[in-house]
Amino acid sequence: MKKIALITGATSGIGRATALKLAENGYDLILCGRRTEKLEELKQLLTTQVYTLAFDVRDRKEVESQLGKLPEEWKNIAVLVNSAGNAHGLSPIQTGDTDDWDAMMDGNVKGLLYVSRAIIPGMIERKKGHIINLSSVAGKQTYANGVVYCASKKAVEAISEGMRLDLTEQGIKVTNIAPGAVETEFSEVRFKGDKERAKKVYEGYEPLIAEDIADLIAYVVNVPERVTIADVTVYPKAQSAPSTIYRR
Ligand code: 8X3
């Protein structure tokens, strides 16, 4: 039977790697992202069936209207991967940019909620489904200058716990994944395009790559139906806490 996974933030980083990996695993994919060209580019690389939806998870009306009008054959979503999310800025609270704060709280928290709210009722009807929320080690432990990013990921942790409490009796599994340092566009976005500064984040050690997290997601969705992997924290070998990285 056709298995469908919906991935947000599918145009880059962990979302994109997850799309490639789940397609390898035979999933048909609903790919969501802001950039139509990137979605189309990715679609060309995939051999399973793909439906693309361009919207910004922060836009509640768009999320509701786009996900509300999925064609019948794409409604049976088995796996939702909430991967959309970003860090914007790295500064102490007293100088934090409030636009950055809005972007993080609106995307990482409210966007994840809007998408989930649109998909969960169908899963409840089918008494089956699996939601994977991309949190971060920033959601486990707050670090200096990361106050709002960490707060947004602590919210993701709470949402994963709360979803599991509300949805277990509905036959839905919830997995929270908290990666440490993964080399993607993450730091470049955080530092607003400053490639040099972004590169430094990953210098002197071997960071995780997006494919490591995609492999983990493929593992988590492929375990027997009786098993729920509730929460996974993943560090690169050189990292022991959010701000503690052993650099050579
Ligand atoms: C990414 C991990 O520690 O750079 O969420 O914030 S960290």
Side-chain angles (χ1 to χ4, degrees), residues 136-138 143 149 179-180 186 190 242:
S136 163
V137 293
Y143 52 82
Y149 179 68
F186 176 85
R190 165 171 266 172

Side-chain angles (χ1 to χ4, degrees), residues 72-146:
E72 214 40 58
E73 66 274 24
W74 284 100
K75 283 193 173 152
N76 194 347
I77 295 164
V79 175
L80 163 62
V81 183
N82 278 315
S83 176
N86 273 316
H88 299 278
L90 186 68
S91 48
I93 188 153
Q94 62 273 23
T95 55
D97 180 325
T98 49
D99 285 337
D100 285 347
W101 295 357
D102 282 346
M104 290 187 279
M105 296 313 267
D106 290 351
N108 303 0
V109 184
K110 290 160 73 184
L112 182 149
L113 286 169
Y114 299 152
V115 171
S116 303
R117 179 65 183 83
I119 302 305
I120 288 168
M123 289 181 167
I124 290 178
E125 258 172 48
R126 295 184 294 278
K127 288 275 170 217
K128 202 168 159 38
H130 193 161
I131 302 170
I132 317 260
N133 291 329
L134 264 301
S135 176
S136 163
V137 293
K140 307 285 184 193
Q141 204 178 318
T142 306
Y143 52 82
N145 303 323

Side-chain angles (χ1 to χ4, degrees), residues 163-183:
M163 281 181 169
R164 199 172 306 109
L165 288 168
D166 292 344
L167 299 175
T168 296
E169 66 183 15
Q170 307 289 346
I172 298 170
K173 302 189 199 187
V174 180
T175 301
N176 187 78
I177 296 184
V182 186
E183 188 165 14

Side-chain angles (χ1 to χ4, degrees), residues 22-87:
L22 291 187
E24 252 176 51
N25 278 252
Y27 279 85
D28 290 334
L29 297 172
I30 304 171
L31 301 178
C32 308
R34 280 174 297 175
R35 297 169 282 186
T36 310
E37 343 61 76
K38 291 251 171 200
L39 287 168
E40 289 308 314
E41 239 174 75
L42 178 57
K43 185 177 175 172
Q44 300 310 316
L45 301 177
L46 301 170
T47 47
T48 53
Q49 287 191 309
V50 175
Y51 189 81
T52 60
L53 284 176
F55 62 84
D56 186 334
V57 297
R58 292 176 292 186
D59 185 337
R60 179 161 55 88
K61 291 253 160 349
E62 268 293 287
V63 172
E64 287 169 358
S65 95
Q66 299 261 20
L67 295 177
K69 56 176 193 237
L70 276 175
E72 214 40 58
E73 66 274 24
W74 284 100
K75 283 193 173 152
N76 194 347
I77 295 164
V79 175
L80 163 62
V81 183
N82 278 315
S83 176
N86 273 316

